[in-house]
Amino acid sequence: MLLRHTTKEIKERQALTVNPAKTCQPIGAMYAALGIHNCLPHSHGSQGCCAYHRSTLTRHYKEPVMAGTSSFTEGASVFGGQANLLQAIDTIFTVYDPDVIAVHTTCLSETIGDDIPQIAKKAEAEGKIPKGKYVIHANTPSYVGSHVTGFATMTRAMVDYFAESNGHKIDQINIIPGYVEPSDMEEIKRIVSELGLRAVMFPDTSNVLNRPQTGRFDMFPKGGTTVEALRSTGNSKATIALGRLASGPAARALDAKCKVMCEILDLPIGLAATDAFVDTLRRLGGVNVPDSINIERGQMLDIITDMHQYFYGKKVGLVGDPDQLISLTEFLVSIDMWPIYVVTGTPGKKFESKIVEITRDVPHEVKVAAGGDMFLFHQWLKNEPVDLMMGNTYLKYISRDEDIPFVRFGFPILDRVGHSYFPTVGYRGGMRVLEKILDALLDKKDRESPEESFELVL
Amino acid sequence: MAASKINSTTGIESVDPGELKAELVAKYPTKVGRKRAKQIVINSVEECGEVPEIGANSRTIPGIITQRGCSYAGCKGVVLGPTRDIINLTHGPIGCGFYSWLTRRNQTRTNGPGDANFMTYCFSTDLQDEDIVFGGEKKLRKAIREIYDNFKPKAIGIFATCPVGLIGDDVHAVAREMKEELGINIFGFSCEGYKGVSQSAGHHIANNVLFSHVVGLDDTPSKGKFKINLLGEYNIGGDAFEIERILDEAGITVVSTFSGNSTYDKFANSHTADLNTVMCHRSINYVAEMMEKKYGIPWIKVNFIGAASTAKTLRKIANYFEDEELIERVEKIIGEEMVEVEKVRLEVKSRCEGKLAMLFVGGSRAHHYQDLFAEIGMKTVAAGYEFAHRDDYEGRSVLPNIKVDADSRNIEELRVEPDAERFSPRKSQEALERLKAKGFRFKDYDGMMPEMASGTLIIDDISQFETEKLIEKYKPDIFCAGIKEKYAIQKKGIPMKQLHSYDSGGPYAGFKGAINFWREIDRMVNSKVWSYLKAPWQESPELTATYAWE
């Protein structure tokens, strides 16, 4: 057994986290910053943070992930990291020449209390920031929130630093896609353009973290939201924020700063959430939904109706991030599956009550934990197993020990490809999720059916 | 510079390393360039083996895009990570523990279902805002009790992360207190990420704690006639298993490995071995030195990477024990193993000879793996370490000349005295002299540079910019480094082999490992996948135009 020390008996833990279902803020900030065109993320702290974040993102995407670090030593930890950041800014603009350096802090620089805007000002005064170039920042102490809130904070910084309003609204909608994959961002853009709408999406990691093999390496690839586009968000007609936790703060900041009204929706994973997204686009854009989208919706629904017998009443355990879990839980409930364990490491009471509300009609007890961990999740399973688990790669240890079918979903996925190319959002994304669930369930059925009831047609 | 150029069939004669160095340095702000100039060296090996001085183990330049990690990574991730039955508790915010959870491909093999294995788990105090404000010691104590209640481990290691040092949590005091309370061994590591200039500081800290808190706790005489410890071998991709297989066959007992496939009990008993063999000099030489001083166990540098190197290492160990039967047995094993090894080597060599390699990785791997490439006729044109010191480049003879800077001074040097009861020289003075006279060298390491050709480029802590420039100029056939560099290099159409984690491969140590590695390199440098970069219409666009015209 790989997790041989996990017991059925659950003892209360107040101080110890075992097998976390979250990671720290800075990696989310780094991921978000990669969604700005010509931007180099910069980690203001010890160099290990940067190394860890780059490694994890690289393993997840199998793509180059470039970022700088302030490389704190003991001296910098005592005297503050100003000298380090000044040198970093100078070196980065001299050698790598990005348009933007997006600095995020770490637990170290936050505990010291480094003031990034003040240091950036000093860099500017010393002529270390070339004309037309920017240093932006987000405060992302690792001892607050999780990678999701780090993403939210850096996304909000894009608004704080760039959004401008000249009082003239333009025919454009802002879309904040949430902490989703580059494939999802691409799919969201496709849906928007199917409806014939003009939009600015930020951040946008498509064509950054799923770029083609061409025999060329570009330090700054083609993708990412440009500074110019970010600036224009202040004049947009409206903002659609997908995912309350990851996108809400930026949307509200844009409303406060430039009076751009916002609608904060769930991530468009599954039927109802995608319906809500498409309908909101239709309303805000004043357009009709084209048949192409209706067809996609119908195809997804077709899979659900055709294969309903395999979904019905199946118990599911979910581990992941709040925005994803809310939509996914709703999706599973809508196809008559029973999500009975829902765990996120990201703290938040609202999440728990939201899941309780979504699952109120599930005819089974539903256990929810925000600020939980995979050890607790596994203990729940030991007491009552499920038919399917969905979550990041770390679940594969539980899947093997307990022989439970497993669909990889969320962050990080370190052992399979696909997530950066094939979306899980929208109707097409929903079809992929359904396919993955069916594959996992039916592979097990085929493997374990007695010979006499092993069937060709399912 | 003509004399310093490398002979090659692939056209690298056109690269003048001096000009290239000047170009690299010129790109940086002046002060940065001056510093990099010390860390970029054109190798020249004098007849006496002397090589130029290189700047190493110095501070990383902020913003340069380094590949280095931190002290915590070196301590918890590298040295303690591969041990299966010590619970490693990260005291800090969640990230550090999360990122070092199962990501290094250290394999471990328990002796059955009842055996402890915590390597698949991640333990953290997950410090929050209020802990940073009010201190995290209370939470740490509680977490340790919760570990004990749930898991009953033999030992717990506490790893301090950056903020822990700043807020003044005393992990050592808590360890002492909880050790008393729970009656199991508990020890702390002050391996905050800002200590030192790279992972290297963390190795040293890990060595110190293991030596002072674990080594020597169990005096039960270890069994076996020829007893060694294997130091600095982390069982990435199963390397230690292959080494153990060979040593087993030779009748050599591995008392403990630091720390691949290791257990707490083996560390505790490791001082009963009669020889310390050091694989990764950088990460573990401290333990070797301290065990020699305290217990009288001599140490030698070995290398199980490469078939010839493995054979040489086996002979070295056998000669140390001066036992004719062992010497014969080792020769027999080498003879038997080399049959298959030679077959594969010659086959792969026929396809790889003359190709160029670059290795920028680790603190010993960039050196060791050159042997494997050389055995199939591939040339190393440039190499460097990520976190090594001057002695790993220039050899241990430079140790007295290394200036200890402030960052290194902050890492404790333990004062070790011979143990009053347990110090026992494994070899008499006479035996040592006899061995030395036969050319046997103890506690010695020549370093990477003396074994590399003159005119090769040696770069310490290579930056992203320098990596790209080197690839552009030399157009190597393969580049070896780590995960962060991997895809940027492959996007350029150059195959990239990870030598920290071996990608998905291994073992690469020992005889079978050499075969695995050569097959892998053959696959990579001769793969047809790199020929698909251009679509047909990109290869010959003029053809389309002709049709259009006609």
Side-chain angles (χ1 to χ4, degrees), chain B residues 27-152:
Chain B
K27 178 80 176 173
Y28 294 111
T30 321
K31 252 174 80 184
V32 173
R34 266 205 298 274
K35 180 149 191 235
R36 288 307 294 158
K38 291 184 192 147
Q39 289 171 277
I40 303 174
V41 170
I42 300 151
N43 197 27
S44 67
V45 188
E46 305 293 320
E47 239 165 78
C48 57
E50 204 168 300
V51 291
E53 179 178 336
I54 187 164
N57 193 36
S58 55
R59 289 185 184 175
T60 316
I61 293 154
I64 199 162
I65 309 194
T66 177
Q67 314 299 352
R68 281 177 169 177
C70 66
S71 168
Y72 167 88
C75 183
K76 192 269 185 183
V78 174
V79 180
L80 268 294
T83 308
R84 66 174 169 264
D85 57 355
I86 298 176
I87 284 194
N88 293 331
L89 172 61
T90 300
H91 184 40
I94 200 66
C96 310
F98 180 84
Y99 304 117
S100 56
W101 179 21
L102 285 168
T103 45
R104 273 185 55 83
R105 299 197 69 233
N106 309 114
Q107 299 186 0
T108 201
R109 192 182 282 149
T110 62
N111 297 316
D115 234 14
N117 178 14
F118 298 110
M119 277 172 65
T120 46
Y121 292 83
C122 164
F123 301 89
S124 171
T125 51
D126 187 13
L127 291 185
Q128 298 296 303
D129 230 355
E130 61 272 17
D131 306 313
I132 300 297
V133 176
F134 299 110
E137 287 187 8
K138 211 171 118 194
K139 193 172 192 185
L140 176 59
R141 269 185 221 107
K142 204 173 213 177
I144 292 170
R145 281 188 203 108
E146 289 174 358
I147 285 180
Y148 188 75
D149 283 350
N150 278 283
F151 302 98
K152 302 272 177 320

Side-chain angles (χ1 to χ4, degrees), chain B residues 289 292-293 298-301 396 441-445:
Chain B
E289 283 283 305
E292 175 157 25
K293 275 191 198 140
W299 72 264
I300 55 172
K301 175 76 179 75
R396 276 181 75 92
R441 291 162 66 201
F442 288 98
K443 50 192 297 177
D444 201 11
Y445 175 40

Side-chain angles (χ1 to χ4, degrees), chain A residues 2-6 11 14-17 19 22-23 46-47 56 63 69 74 77 96 143 213 215-216 394, chain B residues 60 62-64 69 99 101 112 115 117 120-122 124 126 129 142 146 149 162 194 197 410 465 490-491:
Chain A
L2 288 158
L3 296 165
R4 56 182 64 184
H5 302 281
T6 306
K11 293 177 182 165
Q14 291 173 337
L16 177 70
T17 295
N19 300 350
K22 67 167 178 186
T23 182
S46 294
Q47 67 203 4
T56 305
E63 286 288 329
T69 165
E74 196 142 10
S77 306
Y96 298 107
Y143 42 78
Q213 170 64 276
R216 261 177 69 118
Y394 283 99
Chain B
T60 316
I64 199 162
Y99 304 117
W101 179 21
D115 234 14
N117 178 14
T120 46
Y121 292 83
C122 164
S124 171
D126 187 13
D129 230 355
K142 204 173 213 177
E146 289 174 358
D149 283 350
C162 292
Y194 55 75
V197 301
N410 287 335
F465 160 70
Q490 294 210 156
K491 280 280 193 278

Side-chain angles (χ1 to χ4, degrees), chain A residues 204-314:
Chain A
D204 182 1
T205 59
S206 65
N207 217 351
V208 176
L209 290 165
N210 60 355
R211 57 183 127 159
Q213 170 64 276
T214 58
R216 261 177 69 118
F217 167 67
D218 295 308
M219 183 84 187
F220 303 107
K222 290 208 173 78
T225 317
T226 60
V227 169
E228 198 189 345
L230 285 171
R231 221 176 261 136
S232 76
T233 55
N235 290 324
S236 296
K237 279 200 302 198
T239 301
I240 300 179
L242 302 171
R244 261 154 238 283
L245 196 60
S247 303
R252 283 191 293 270
L254 198 49
D255 191 1
K257 186 179 178 187
C258 302
K259 303 277 174 294
V260 183
M261 61 88 80
C262 64
E263 299 235 8
I264 301 174
L265 306 177
D266 290 338
L267 279 178
I269 298 168
L271 192 64
T274 305
D275 283 352
F277 175 52
V278 172
D279 204 38
T280 307
L281 282 173
R282 177 188 67 86
R283 254 189 315 104
L284 292 176
V287 292
N288 290 319
V289 176
D291 247 1
S292 57
I293 295 284
N294 290 330
I295 290 170
E296 286 171 22
R297 185 181 189 277
Q299 286 173 330
M300 177 180 168
L301 193 53
D302 203 40
I303 296 181
I304 297 172
T305 52
D306 291 349
M307 304 305 265
H308 184 251
Q309 65 271 32
Y310 299 112
F311 300 126
Y312 181 79
K314 292 287 190 309

